């Protein structure tokens, strides 16, 4: 039987190894990109290879250890300790019963990591 291109299901590409992500970040820095978006798990390796002003944006931030569908999450402190310049926080705030309280907790953790 023949399937049309629109109904053919393709499997997702295999996940990149940490080493390949670092190589790609170095390549991005080499061609003039301002930075990359990467998991907090790769941020340290990428920061070791790509010094500031190269920026690292880290999504998948969880203020505390929770089990959800994200497998490669880190805390606010872990992200910054690993070299992230910016963090992206979505679900912990959006799904919270008291989102303002979660934002305040995240801000407190940021202030602990970057004291005035």
């Amino acid at each position: 039987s023949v399937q049309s291109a629109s109904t053919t299901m393709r499997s997702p590409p295999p996940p990149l190894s940490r080493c390949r992500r670092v190589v790609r970040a170095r390549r991005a820095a080499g061609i003039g990109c301002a930075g990359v978006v990467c998991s907090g798990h790769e941020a340290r390796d990428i920061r070791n290879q790509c010094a500031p002003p190269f920026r690292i944006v880290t999504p998948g931030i969880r203020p505390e250890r929770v089990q959800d569908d994200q497998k490669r999450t880190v805390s606010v402190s872990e992200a910054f300790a690993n070299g992230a310049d910016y963090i992206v926080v979505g679900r912990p705030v959006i799904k919270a019963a008291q989102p303002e309280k979660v934002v305040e907790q995240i801000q407190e953790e940021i202030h602990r990591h970057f004291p005035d």
Side-chain angles (χ1 to χ4, degrees):
S1 80
V2 176
Q3 290 184 330
S4 71
S6 64
T7 61
T8 303
M9 298 295 287
R10 293 184 184 177
S11 59
L16 292 174
S17 69
R18 185 176 284 180
C19 179
R20 286 180 61 198
R21 287 185 177 96
V22 173
V23 168
R24 286 185 172 184
R26 286 180 63 198
R27 189 177 310 145
I31 63 170
C33 290
V36 293
V37 176
C38 72
S39 162
H41 295 275
E42 290 92 39
R44 182 179 307 276
D45 295 332
I46 291 172
R47 176 55 69 217
N48 287 337
Q49 295 292 315
C50 304
F54 191 77
R55 300 290 181 216
I56 296 175
V57 178
T58 300
I61 302 299
R62 299 296 184 266
E64 50 192 54
R65 291 284 174 212
V66 294
Q67 283 293 92
D68 59 22
D69 65 322
Q70 294 289 314
K71 296 184 185 335
R72 297 163 18 95
T73 62
V74 295
S75 71
V76 173
S77 293
E78 288 173 309
F80 288 123
N82 288 344
D85 297 293
Y86 303 98
I87 58 172
V88 179
V89 184
R91 291 180 203 171
V93 174
I94 294 169
K95 292 188 173 190
Q98 296 178 310
E100 297 87 2
K101 189 170 188 164
V102 173
V103 170
E104 287 173 4
Q105 291 170 341
I106 291 168
Q107 289 174 329
E108 288 171 8
E109 192 170 353
I110 290 169
H111 288 297
R112 280 193 301 273
H113 192 78
F114 297 104
D116 292 332

